[in-house]
Amino acid sequence: MPRLQIFIVSTRPGRKGEAVARWVDERAREHAKFEVEVVDLKEVNLPLLDEPEHPRLRKYQHDHTKAWSARVSRADAFVFVTPEYNYCSPPSLVNAIDFLFHEWTYKPAVFVSYGGASGGILPASMGDLPLDFGTLEKYGCFVGSHAVVILSDKDDMKAVALNLMKFFEDESCGQCTPCRVGTEKAAKLMAGGPWDERLLNELSDAMRDASICGLGQAAPNPLTSVFKYFRDDLERPLKVW
């Protein structure tokens, strides 16, 4: 029976990849066409690429590379369960792939990606827009990792945007002021009373222009989506007001 390796790519504290990988593992075992093996890159714990020779030569000098080569070689197909970091692949994935060459070649691979909700919120009337790179930017949104959340007409978009801003506040690493202070200030302004549209838009612009990474730059998108597409919800007060 062919062997399918499911890789948990993220190695960060608090990562969500384990839960997603368990779901993929369950589906693969139900399929019953593969011998399934879950490979956690955090447990593999490869150093930064430290082989002096190009991997196509297979002149591996380190035991960790030899062990990694043997493990990947026994697979016939791969599923990479991976988040998106700053519009790019996680360094842990790039590093793990770069260690080897022949062990990966001519084997099918699938990527299962997951992410947050910073792409923005669109109304049902725009549901036929193609979810592709470059198609949503003019509407103040982007596809990101292509994760989609469906909300009902019973949901208060202000409450949704506030919940997301609190999530971004919690997720912020705190290294840059625009993201750290901006998400905290925005969440307080959104929860504290009627929304000051001018002030919140100014704060959103500052976060987009000055934040170091994609989290702070994209965190205001759900908020500004409410101003653009859900004006009726602005008239209804939040329960926390």
Side-chain angles (χ1 to χ4, degrees):
M1 182 179 293
R3 177 181 290 264
L4 174 68
Q5 288 182 338
I6 300 172
F7 290 85
I8 306 176
V9 168
S10 177
T11 60
R12 294 175 58 192
R15 60 186 179 160
K16 306 299 188 295
E18 292 172 292
V20 181
R22 282 196 298 271
W23 180 85
V24 176
D25 179 47
E26 291 171 0
R27 302 290 83 74
R29 294 182 189 278
E30 289 175 0
H31 184 61
K33 299 295 185 180
F34 293 96
E35 181 181 350
V36 182
E37 175 187 3
V38 176
V39 180
D40 188 345
L41 292 186
K42 185 175 182 179
E43 294 178 359
V44 174
N45 197 27
L46 288 169
L48 289 176
L49 181 59
D50 58 354
E51 288 289 339
E53 302 283 354
H54 193 283
R56 66 181 174 79
L57 301 176
R58 285 184 168 175
K59 295 182 179 179
Y60 304 135
Q61 296 189 13
H62 300 295
D63 289 341
H64 54 258
T65 311
K66 295 174 183 177
W68 183 232
S69 172
R71 189 167 191 179
V72 174
S73 291
R74 64 178 182 243
D76 300 289
F78 310 106
V79 175
F80 297 96
V81 178
T82 178
E84 171 205 346
Y85 289 165
N86 301 327
Y87 312 108
C88 192
S89 302
S92 55
L93 174 60
V94 176
N95 189 58
I97 291 175
D98 284 349
F99 259 94
L100 309 174
F101 179 76
H102 295 284
E103 294 86 342
W104 304 111
T105 55
Y106 304 110
K107 297 177 182 179
V110 170
F111 290 83
V112 176
S113 185
Y114 56 96
S118 57
I121 308 172
L122 293 173
S125 60
M126 302 173 72
D128 291 333
L129 289 174
L131 298 180
D132 202 357
F133 296 104
T135 62
L136 301 182
E137 281 76 1
K138 63 182 178 181
Y139 303 106
C141 300
F142 63 94
V143 294
S145 57
H146 284 83
V148 177
V149 177
I150 306 299
L151 302 167
S152 81
D153 58 0
K154 305 300 181 184
D155 290 304
D156 181 353
M157 291 301 107
K158 296 190 314 304
V160 171
L162 173 58
N163 185 54
L164 291 173
M165 189 62 72
K166 289 180 177 179
F167 168 76
F168 298 134
E169 178 188 2
D170 184 68
E171 285 289 296
S172 174
C173 71
Q175 292 190 41
C176 71
T177 301
C179 179
R180 181 185 70 251
V181 177
T183 52
E184 178 185 5
K185 184 66 173 178
K188 288 181 179 178
L189 289 171
M190 294 164 72
W195 287 10
D196 186 329
E197 185 170 355
R198 181 192 61 80
L199 182 58
L200 285 169
N201 275 324
E202 286 183 2
L203 182 57
S204 297
D205 290 341
M207 292 169 64
R208 287 196 187 95
D209 294 340
S211 294
I212 294 174
C213 82
L215 188 145
Q217 295 164 9
N221 284 347
L223 164 62
T224 55
S225 292
V226 175
F227 289 134
K228 289 180 181 178
Y229 303 116
F230 302 95
R231 303 293 304 184
D232 290 345
D233 284 25
L234 292 173
E235 305 301 322
R236 295 192 290 269
L238 282 166
K239 293 180 180 179
V240 295
W241 290 3

